[in-house]
Amino acid sequence: MSRQNHYDAGVWHIIIECDMVMNTGEKMKKYAYGIDIGGTAIKLGLFETSGSLLSSWEIPTRKEGNGSCILHDIMKSLNLSMKENNLSSSDVEGIGMGIPGPVGKDGTVYKCVNLGWDVFNIEEEMHQLSGMRVKAANDANVAALGEMWQGGGRGYEDIVMVTLGTGVGSGIIINGQIVNGINGAAGEIGHILVDSDEKEVCGCGKKGCLEQYTSARGIVRIARRYLHDYPTVKSSLRDIDNFTSKDIFEQYDKGDIVSQVIVDTACETLGRAMATISCVLNPEVFVIGGGMSKAGQVLIEKIAYYYKKYAFHATEDTAFHLATLGNNAGIYGAVKLLL
Ligand code: ZN
C-alpha cells in the first residue's frame, strides 16, 4: 500500500493506493524469496509473487558446528540481494524454504541428519532473524508444489511427483495441498518394500526398498549384480570402469541387451509401485523428475506402460509428465508455500 499526500484548495488529501488485494483483505506484496537447502549447496531465488523468477543463485552449505551457520549464511545472502535490488522487508511477502528432512505443520524440523540439525522450529528462528513471514516444508513436497505451480504438473491439483535421483523420493499434493503425514514422512516412496528376499541393506536400514532397484545408485547395483551372476553374457557395460546410471541409459540407446534388461526391470518395478500408490491416492498425474529423468520420454513411456499393466482399472488413465523446472522446482515451490 502506498500513501501520497497533497495539498489542494486548503485541504490535505490523502490518497491511499492498493495494487493487489488478497481474499483475506491483506495485500500481497510484489516479491518473495524461495530457498532450497541441500546437503552441499543452498539455492536461493528472488520471485515476483505472480510467479516469475527474477534471479537465482547458490551459496555453499556450511555444515560445521552442526549446521549452525546455515540460517545466518542465508540471511547474509538475502540481505545482500535486498540491497542490490533496492528492496525493504515491506516489499517482500516472505521467505519460503525447502528442507532436506521431515518438517511438521508448525515449522518444526525433526532432525536433518545431513545438515547436522536437531529438532527446532525453523519458521520461528528465520522469522526472528529476518522479521519476515516464513514458511517451511520438506524439500520433496516443496518441489512437487513448484511443479504443480509452474512446471510439469501445472493445471492439476492432485499430483504425485516422483524424484529419481541418488535415492527415490516423492512429493504428494492432494486438492492443491501438500500431504505431509504426522511425522512428515508421507511420500517416502523410496522405502516401499518391493522384494522381501533382498540381502543387501538400504540406506534406511531395512532391506528390499524401492530405491534399492530404481534409483540411480540402485540400477547400477542391479546391473553389477546381473553382470556378476551371468558372467558369459556380453555387454558393453563390461568395458566401462565404474559405470553410472547415465552410462546404462546410453548403452540402452545403443542397443546393449543387458542395459535394456536393467532399464526395463527398473521401469517395471517403478510402474508397479506407482500402480500401488494410485490405489491409495488416485492422483491425476505423476510428474517424474530428478537426475535420471534426463533419460526423458523413453523412461516415461516405459514406466507408464508397466503402470497401466498393474494399475487398478479405475486408475489406469493417470497421466505421466516429465518435470520441467529441474533444480529450480524447490525454489518455486518454496515461494508457493507463502501464497
Ligand atoms: Zn529403505
Side-chain angles (χ1 to χ4, degrees):
M1 191 162 70
S2 66
R3 187 182 166 117
Q4 296 173 344
N5 299 344
H6 71 266
Y7 190 69
D8 181 36
V11 180
W12 275 102
H13 292 257
I14 300 168
I15 302 164
I16 297 172
E17 289 179 346
C18 288
D19 26 4
M20 195 170 163
V21 177
M22 295 172 76
N23 292 337
T24 56
E26 279 179 40
K27 196 191 80 176
M28 173 67 73
K29 291 166 189 167
K30 194 174 177 194
Y31 302 99
Y33 283 102
I35 298 169
D36 187 14
I37 303 180
T40 50
I42 300 164
K43 188 145 198 167
L44 302 94
L46 172 61
F47 287 79
E48 284 186 343
T49 44
S50 57
S52 324
L53 174 59
L54 301 176
S55 63
S56 67
W57 66 100
E58 283 186 7
I59 58 172
T61 309
R62 286 200 294 147
K63 286 183 271 194
E64 55 260 44
N66 288 325
S68 58
C69 311
I70 292 173
L71 296 186
H72 294 280
D73 288 350
I74 291 172
M75 273 320 301
K76 259 186 229 161
S77 191
L78 289 182
N79 285 333
L80 193 65
S81 161
M82 285 170 70
K83 200 172 168 193
E84 280 170 3
N85 291 285
N86 246 330
L87 301 176
S88 75
S89 55
S90 61
D91 302 310
V92 180
E93 183 58 35
I95 302 167
M97 305 178 85
I99 312 295
V103 182
K105 284 176 190 147
D106 65 345
T108 301
V109 173
Y110 292 98
K111 291 192 180 178
C112 279
V113 185
N114 57 351
L115 300 180
W117 284 357
D118 203 6
V119 179
F120 72 107
N121 191 306
I122 194 167
E123 291 182 1
E124 279 171 16
E125 194 141 334
M126 263 315 266
H127 174 71
Q128 292 291 330
L129 291 171
S130 66
M132 288 189 263
R133 196 158 75 85
V134 179
K135 292 297 289 175
N138 170 267
D139 55 0
N141 293 334
V142 165
L145 201 58
E147 288 290 341
M148 183 191 79
W149 187 34
Q150 300 287 349
R154 206 168 171 169
Y156 295 92
E157 282 213 313
D158 296 278
I159 86 169
V160 174
M161 179 176 172
V162 176
T163 305
L164 304 173
T166 320
V168 174
S170 83
I172 302 167
I173 314 281
I174 298 292
N175 294 328
Q177 301 291 317
I178 288 175
V179 176
N180 209 47
I182 195 71
N183 297 316
E188 287 286 358
I189 66 163
H191 304 286
I192 290 176
L193 177 66
V194 296
D195 182 0
S196 50
D197 295 328
E198 178 62 52
K199 300 286 182 285
E200 286 180 46
V201 181
C202 174
C204 74
K206 302 284 165 75
K207 293 173 186 169
C209 297
L210 180 65
E211 74 174 31
Q212 286 187 279
Y213 308 90
T214 61
S215 65
R217 211 185 274 159
I219 69 162
V220 169
R221 185 184 78 100
I222 296 301
R224 286 220 183 95
R225 183 189 275 181
Y226 188 96
L227 294 172
H228 175 267
D229 290 349
Y230 301 96
T232 57
V233 175
K234 283 185 185 150
S235 169
S236 48
L237 289 175
R238 293 191 193 276
D239 305 328
I240 307 170
D241 290 336
N242 292 320
F243 59 80
T244 62
S245 61
K246 189 165 169 266
D247 294 320
I248 296 174
F249 281 101
E250 275 172 17
Q251 298 312 309
Y252 169 94
D253 282 338
K254 289 180 183 166
D256 176 55
I257 300 292
V258 171
S259 298
Q260 289 182 349
V261 170
I262 299 305
V263 169
D264 200 64
T265 308
C267 290
E268 178 166 14
T269 307
L270 269 171
R272 201 169 52 204
M274 287 156 91
T276 308
I277 291 164
S278 268
C279 287
V280 182
L281 296 170
N282 188 199
E284 292 171 280
V285 62
F286 282 105
V287 178
I288 314 283
M292 242 163 64
S293 69
K294 290 190 183 121
Q297 208 54 37
V298 179
L299 184 77
I300 294 281
E301 282 166 15
K302 241 182 204 312
I303 298 171
Y305 166 80
Y306 284 113
Y307 171 82
K308 215 176 164 71
K309 181 176 167 189
Y310 293 107
F312 174 60
H313 62 84
T315 67
E316 266 178 11
D317 295 328
T318 310
F320 281 74
H321 291 188
L322 278 170
T324 61
L325 299 177
N327 290 336
N328 284 340
I331 53 173
Y332 273 93
V335 166
K336 180 67 174 144
L337 284 175
L338 297 161
L339 306 181

